[in-house]
Amino acid sequence: MKKVLLSAAAIAAIALSASAEQKIVIDGSTTVGPIAKAFAEYFMAAHPDVNITVSESGSGNGAKSIMNGVCDIADMSRPMKDSEFKAAADKGIQPVAHVVALDGLPVLVHPQNPIGELTIEQIRDIYTGKITNWKELGGPNLGIVVITRDTNSGTYETFEGMVMNKEKITEKAEYVGSNGAIRQRVQSTPAAIGYAGLGFVDKTVKALKVNGVYPSAGTVRTGEYPISRPLFMYTNGYPKLGSPVYQFVTLYLTEDGQEMVDQIGFIPVTSY
Amino acid sequence: MRIETRRLLNRAFSSLGLISIGLMALVLVVILTPIIAKGSGAFVFRSTVEHRKLMFDHWNRGNPERVKQDEAKAAVARAPVYQMLSDFKAELESMPRAERSRYKKPLRAVETALGRLLGPNPGSRTPVLMRQQYGATRWDRTQAKLDNLLYSEEWDYSNPDALGVKVLRPRVEDFRTTKLEPLFGYVKANIKPMMRPRWTFYWQFLFDTSKDSHIFGGIGPEVLGTIYLTLGAMLFAVPMGVIAAIYLCEYSREGRVISFLRICISTLAGVPSIVFGLFGLAFFLNTIHVSNSKSVLAGSLTLALLILPTVIRSSEEAILAVPRAYKEAALSLGAGRWYTIMTVILPAALPGILTGTVISMGRAAGETAPIIFTAAVSVGRPLLPIEALSQPTPALPWNIYNLCTEHEAVDEIRHVQYGMVFTLVALVLLLNVFAIVMRARISKKLRG
Amino acid sequence: MSEAIQMKRVSRFTGTEEEDFGSRSAHVKTENFSVFYGAFEAVKKVTCEFPEGLVTAMIGPSGCGKSTLLRAINRMNDLIPSCRPSGKMIFQGEDIYCKNIDAVSLRMRVGMVFQKPNVFPKSIYDNIAYGPRLQGIKSRSQLDDLVESSLKQAAIWDEVKDRLSTNALGMSGGQQQRLCLARALAVKPEILLMDEPTSALDPKATTKIEDLIGQLRGQYTIIIVTHNMQQAARVSDLTAFMYEGTLVEFGATRQIFTKPRERQTEDYITGRFG
C-alpha cells in the first residue's frame, strides 16, 4: 500500500513538473491582448504540447503579476515605471522589454457626432472639463460624456502623458476597464468621447482627426499622428534561447507575426 | 376582529402572495426567454459552406467527399464574382491614371467586404490569422456581411445642430458603367448557392476548443474549467464545512467563543465576492504560492472559502433538524458520540447537507469575481486534471464578461457569448434539478 | 414529614404477604441522589433500591422528576448541558457518576426504550443489528441469529421476518415500539429502562407491550415510568410514587394501590390531584 502511494506521488510529481514547463502564462494589457491571443493561437498550433494562457487585466496588473512571479510574460501598453522596476528587482525579478508593435491612440466618438476633427488642446479641455458641450466645438447642443480608462491601464497612462500634460481628468469622467468597454460605451452613447488602441476601431465608432491627422497605420508609422506608443511584452530576464518563451516573444519578428500584428490593426515594428 | 375584516385581510394577503409569485414567474420568463432563444443560436443555426470547411479542416468532421462537393458547388457559384473582379481590374489598367485612382479606395473596400463574406480569394496566399481564412460561417453573419458589401455606411452631417443621420449608400453607385457593376446584383441574387446555408445542430460547441480567441469553435475549455473549479471548490468546502458544522452542533459547548464564531461565519457569508478574489490573490498566490501562476487550484481554494459559510450553515441546519430521538436511541444502545454522528446523524442529515452543497455548487459555478485574479484567463487549452494544480483555465462566468467587454471583435461572436450564458444557466439549473431529485430520493429512502 | 423518616422507610423496604421483595438484592440503588437543572433541583435526595429481576414502576404527576431519575440511571441526562447530578447512583457496587466510569459502556448494560418509538431510518435488520455491530460483532450468521432472537423476544418476529430489509419507518407505531424494545434487547443489557413506552400507542399495541414486559420479567431488571396507573398496577411488582422531586412512597405495587401509607399517594391514586 505504501509503495503504491509512493509511486503515485512520484508519478504525480513528474507529471506536475513536466506540465509546469509546458505552460506560458500571459497577463496584462487589454490593448496587447489581441496580439497575445493571436500569437498564442499560432504558437499552440505549431507546439501542441505548450499551453499558453492569456488574460487581459490591464498593464498595471501585468506589471504586478510579473513582479510577483505569477506570470511568464506581462503585456504592457506603456513602459514599466521606475518604481515598478525597483519593486521587481527587490523581488529578484529582472523585467526585460520586448517591443512587439506600435499603436496609435485614436480618439473615438459616436458616428452620429458631426465633429470630425479636434486639436490636442481641445481634447485636453474636454477631458479636464473645460469644454462640456459639443456645441462649443461646433457640434450639436449635447453635453459631452467623457469616457476614460481606469488608472491601472497603460492606455490611460499614455493618454495622460501625451494629451493631458499633467492636468487632471475631470471628476465627471466615466472610468471603464478595457478597450472593448470604451468602444462599447462610445458606440451606444451619441454624446460620448473615448480613446482606445488602433486595433479596436471599427465602423461602430468614429476615429477623429487629431491636429488634422487621421489615425491610421500610415500616419502612426510616420509619426504624423500625435498620439502613439509602443506595445511591450515583458519577460523575467532575457528568455533562454530556444525556450518556448523565447520563441513566443520573438514571434513578432517573423513574417507571420508581423502579418498578424498588421491584420489585427496595429503596426508591426519592422515597418517603421 | 369582525369576521368580514378577517375575511378581507385573508383575501388581501392571499392575492398579494399570488401577485408576487406571478411577478417572479414573469421576471423568470423575461430573463430566460432571450437566454434560451439567443443561446440556442450557438448550437442550432444555419451554417454555410465555410462552416463545414472549417469543421473539416480543424476537427476532421464530415464526409470528405461531400465537403469537397459542397465546396465545388459553392466555388462554381462564386466563380463569376472573381471573374468580374479580374475583368474590372483589367479594365482599370486601360483607364487613364486620374480615373484609376478614383476607383482605388472603393475597390479596396469592396475586396475587404468580399473577403469577409466569402473568405480569401481562391489562389491567393492563405492569411496567417484564422479569422481571415474563412468567410462567414453562419447565415445570420452572412446577411450582415452581405449588407456590408452592398452598402457603405455614411453619415450625413448636413444639419450642424443635430446628430448625424446614417445613410446607406449602395456601393454599386461607385462602379456604374464599369465591369464591376453587375457584381452586386449577382452576389445579392446568388448568395444562397454561394454560401449554401443548411440547418446545423452544432452540439460539439460544448466540447470544442475555441479557435482564434472564440471567433471559431466552441467553449470546451470554458466548460471544463468551470467544472474543475466547481468540483475543486466542493472538494475543499464540503468536508471542511460539514466537519465544522458537526463540531458546532455536536461538540462545541455554547459559549461566547462559539457565538462569536457563528457571527463570523454569518459575516463571511455576506462578504462581497471580489474581496474573496483579492484575498485569494494575496494569500494563495502571492503569499503561500500554491502555484507559480494563476491556477485552477488557487481558484478552487478561493471559491471554497466563498461557499464555506453557506455549506456550514446549511449543514448545521440539516444536522439540527435530525430528530433528537435518533441521537438518544443511538446513545442508549451504547454508541459513542462519533459513532452516533457517523451512523445516525449524518445519514439522516444527508438530504439537507446535499441540498446546501448543490446550491452552493451553483454559486461556485457562476461566480466571476473570485476567479478573475486567481484562476481565469481569456484563452487557454482544456486542462488535464493534473495540470489543473498549476495552470489557469478559461471559465464560463469570466469569459462571458470578457467576451462582452474586452474582446476585439464583439459583434462577430455574440452567438458564442450567448451560448456561454445559456450553457452556464443550464449547468446551474441542472445542478439544482439534480439536487432536488437526490434530495427526494434520499428522503424517500429515509422515510421508508 | 421529615426526610430522615422517609429515607428510613424506603431504604428498608418492606415486603407484602405473598413475597418478600426486600430479600432480593438491589441491582441499582441511589443514595441521597439529586439532579439539578441549573439551580432547579428536579430530583431531591432520593434514596432507594431497585431489586434485580423485578419490574418497578415509577408514577407521579407531570414534572415530578420520575423521568429525570430514570434517565439518570443510564446517564442520558449527560446530553443536557445544564444538568448536574449529586449524591450516589450505585450500579453493581460502583457509583456510575464516578470519573472513571465510561457512560458509553454503561449504556450497553442499561438499555432504554423511549416514550415515542425512535427507530432509525434504516432497515429493520440494521436497526436490530446496530447495537451488536457496535460491540464488534461482524459475522453475518451471528448477527442473523441475534436479530432473530431479539425480534422473537419482542414478539414481533412473525410480523417482520419477511421484510427485514425494508425501512423500519414503514411499520405501525406499536410495531416500531416493539422493534425499539428488540433493538434494546439485542445489546443484551442487564437493566431495561422504559420511559412511558406506551403513551404514544393505541390500547391494542399497549396491551402487547405490557404482555412483553410480563414475559421479560425475571430476565431483566425493568424500571418503567408511566402515567397510566392501571398499567403500573398491571405490570409492576413494585411502585415508586414521586412528587415534586421527592420519593414519597416506595413499596409493593399491591400495597401502594390498596393501602398507601402516605396521604399524597392516596390522593394521587384516587385521582384527587395529578
Side-chain angles (χ1 to χ4, degrees), chain B residues 340-405:
Chain B
T340 307
I341 289 165
M342 293 313 283
T343 56
V344 177
I345 295 179
L346 274 190
L350 202 62
I353 293 175
L354 211 77
T355 314
T357 304
V358 177
I359 284 169
S360 44
M361 218 163 148
R363 170 131 197 251
E367 272 293 345
T368 314
I371 58 172
I372 295 178
F373 302 111
T374 54
V377 289
S378 315
V379 297
R381 234 179 27 180
L383 300 178
L384 297 172
I386 184 79
E387 293 170 323
L389 293 177
S390 61
Q391 299 195 16
T393 180
L396 286 172
W398 160 250
N399 282 74
I400 290 166
Y401 170 74
N402 178 263
L403 284 198
C404 79
T405 62

Side-chain angles (χ1 to χ4, degrees), chain A residues 37-157:
Chain A
K37 287 192 285 187
F39 279 16
E41 180 79 27
Y42 179 86
F43 193 86
M44 283 198 278
H47 304 87
D49 52 327
V50 181
N51 181 22
I52 302 181
T53 55
V54 182
S55 36
E56 298 145 299
S57 55
S59 299
N61 282 334
K64 277 185 201 117
S65 289
I66 199 151
M67 262 181 244
N68 286 315
V70 295
C71 73
D72 301 301
I73 298 172
D75 293 339
M76 293 184 71
S77 59
R78 58 165 171 87
M80 255 195 191
K81 294 178 209 162
D82 288 348
S83 58
E84 287 168 341
F85 263 116
K86 199 172 168 303
D90 287 346
K91 295 188 177 183
I93 305 272
Q94 272 189 304
V96 172
H98 308 261
V99 176
V100 291
L102 193 66
D103 182 22
L105 208 58
V107 175
L108 306 173
V109 295
H110 194 273
Q112 284 188 324
N113 193 329
I115 301 285
E117 183 175 349
L118 291 173
T119 63
I120 289 263
E121 287 72 30
Q122 283 171 324
I123 298 170
R124 187 186 307 141
D125 288 347
I126 291 173
Y127 272 89
T128 52
K130 262 183 227 153
I131 298 175
T132 55
N133 197 305
W134 287 111
K135 205 175 178 180
E136 299 167 54
L137 299 162
N141 182 11
L142 259 181
I144 301 177
V145 178
V146 178
I147 319 278
T148 180
R149 283 294 305 280
D150 56 308
T151 52
N152 173 44
S153 150
T155 309
Y156 166 85
E157 304 216 3

Side-chain angles (χ1 to χ4, degrees), chain C residues 247-273:
Chain C
L247 183 62
V248 178
E249 190 166 354
F250 190 14
T253 302
R254 181 164 302 177
Q255 172 250 314
I256 295 250
F257 280 93
T258 49
K259 25 181 196 269
R261 294 203 178 90
E262 298 293 330
R263 182 66 192 267
Q264 273 168 321
T265 318
E266 192 180 344
D267 286 352
Y268 182 68
I269 287 167
T270 52
R272 250 170 260 165
F273 81 98

Side-chain angles (χ1 to χ4, degrees), chain C residues 41-110:
Chain C
E41 192 175 8
V43 174
K44 292 175 186 157
K45 297 205 168 141
V46 170
T47 300
C48 66
E49 291 178 1
F50 297 99
E52 194 168 349
L54 295 185
V55 180
T56 306
M58 293 208 278
I59 58 171
S62 294
C64 69
K66 56 191 191 300
S67 272
T68 305
L69 181 61
L70 184 82
R71 294 163 71 94
I73 301 175
N74 68 345
R75 289 185 57 176
M76 282 308 273
N77 288 332
D78 289 10
L79 292 182
I80 301 157
S82 65
C83 182
R84 187 170 53 82
S86 85
K88 281 184 178 167
M89 169 78 73
I90 293 164
F91 173 53
Q92 297 200 327
E94 277 186 281
D95 184 358
I96 62 165
Y97 284 96
C98 230
K99 264 194 186 141
N100 54 1
I101 294 284
D102 176 29
V104 170
S105 42
L106 170 76
R107 290 186 195 126
M108 285 190 191
R109 300 167 65 186
V110 184

Side-chain angles (χ1 to χ4, degrees), chain B residues 1-150:
Chain B
M1 205 183 289
R2 294 214 344 255
I3 190 154
E4 287 84 6
T5 343
R6 216 160 56 208
R7 246 185 228 154
L8 195 72
L9 276 176
N10 271 341
R11 220 172 281 157
F13 184 77
S14 60
S15 53
L16 208 68
L18 217 65
I19 287 170
S20 59
I21 287 173
L23 213 65
M24 286 238 311
L26 195 75
V27 169
L28 205 67
V29 167
V30 167
I31 292 173
L32 283 184
T33 311
I35 288 178
I36 292 168
K38 290 187 170 173
S40 55
F43 297 90
V44 181
F45 57 93
R46 291 173 89 179
S47 72
T48 65
V49 62
E50 298 291 321
H51 175 78
R52 296 189 280 277
K53 211 156 79 184
L54 174 85
M55 285 292 123
F56 183 71
D57 289 351
H58 289 273
W59 283 278
N60 218 354
R61 271 181 209 136
N63 179 335
E65 295 292 305
R66 284 181 57 194
V67 175
K68 282 266 151 21
Q69 273 177 20
D70 219 13
E71 272 183 63
K73 281 184 188 159
V76 170
R78 289 173 188 192
V81 174
Y82 297 116
Q83 188 56 46
M84 282 178 231
L85 256 181
S86 60
D87 285 353
F88 175 68
K89 279 180 184 162
E91 192 183 4
L92 266 184
E93 292 300 314
S94 60
M95 280 182 195
R97 199 174 174 157
E99 212 168 328
R100 213 189 298 165
S101 65
R102 186 163 70 85
Y103 285 116
K104 203 175 144 194
K105 225 177 153 185
L107 178 62
R108 201 188 303 142
V110 167
E111 280 186 311
T112 311
L114 210 54
R116 292 204 175 126
L117 179 65
L118 301 177
N121 292 6
S124 67
R125 200 177 61 86
T126 312
V128 181
L129 274 181
M130 202 173 148
R131 65 192 80 165
Q132 292 171 339
Q133 291 170 8
Y134 297 92
T137 55
R138 298 166 61 93
W139 185 241
D140 49 354
R141 295 309 302 159
T142 304
Q143 301 287 357
K145 285 173 176 174
L146 178 63
D147 284 347
N148 198 25
L149 171 70
L150 296 180

